[in-house]
Amino acid sequence: MNEAQALQAIKSAGQLFITQHARDRMAQRRIGYKDVQHALRVASRATRSDDDGDEKWVVASEDIDGDELHVVVIIEEILVAGVRNVVVTVY
């Protein structure tokens, strides 16, 4: 999957799953669920990151207030909803 395809899949995903690690980072950094949803919906860039064997995408975007927000996601294809984003971490 190239960057344009990943960005399209991320923006159109039918479901969002947030890992416990990401939830912890969201609480620590005061990032809300709606900030993450917004960031993924208006994302302008996704860069591939394969540092531990999983195909992860670093999404460069902004939160609801327009502040810079990066969301690391794994794109999963599932039968029920088509595609879902698994949020690994945020910063």
Side-chain angles (χ1 to χ4, degrees):
M1 180 179 302
N2 66 36
E3 290 181 3
Q5 292 168 324
L7 187 59
Q8 178 60 32
I10 289 165
K11 292 172 87 168
S12 64
Q15 291 185 3
L16 180 62
F17 175 79
I18 302 179
T19 65
Q20 186 59 53
H21 173 79
R23 288 177 192 276
D24 293 345
R25 294 301 157 266
M26 288 168 64
Q28 181 183 51
R29 297 175 176 133
R30 296 186 177 112
I31 298 169
Y33 184 83
K34 289 187 179 192
D35 288 314
V36 173
Q37 281 184 312
H38 177 81
L40 296 175
R41 192 171 44 250
V42 302
S44 59
R45 189 178 52 157
T47 306
R48 189 178 183 149
S49 172
D50 294 325
D51 58 346
D52 63 0
D54 289 330
E55 184 175 291
K56 295 178 185 164
W57 294 90
V58 179
V59 178
S61 192
E62 60 185 33
D63 66 12
I64 292 173
D65 297 323
D67 296 324
E68 183 177 353
L69 179 60
H70 292 86
V71 183
V72 180
V73 301
I74 297 172
I75 302 167
E76 288 187 344
E77 293 184 32
I78 55 176
L79 296 176
V80 178
V83 176
R84 80 172 178 174
N85 293 319
V86 177
V87 178
V88 178
T89 196
V90 296
Y91 57 96

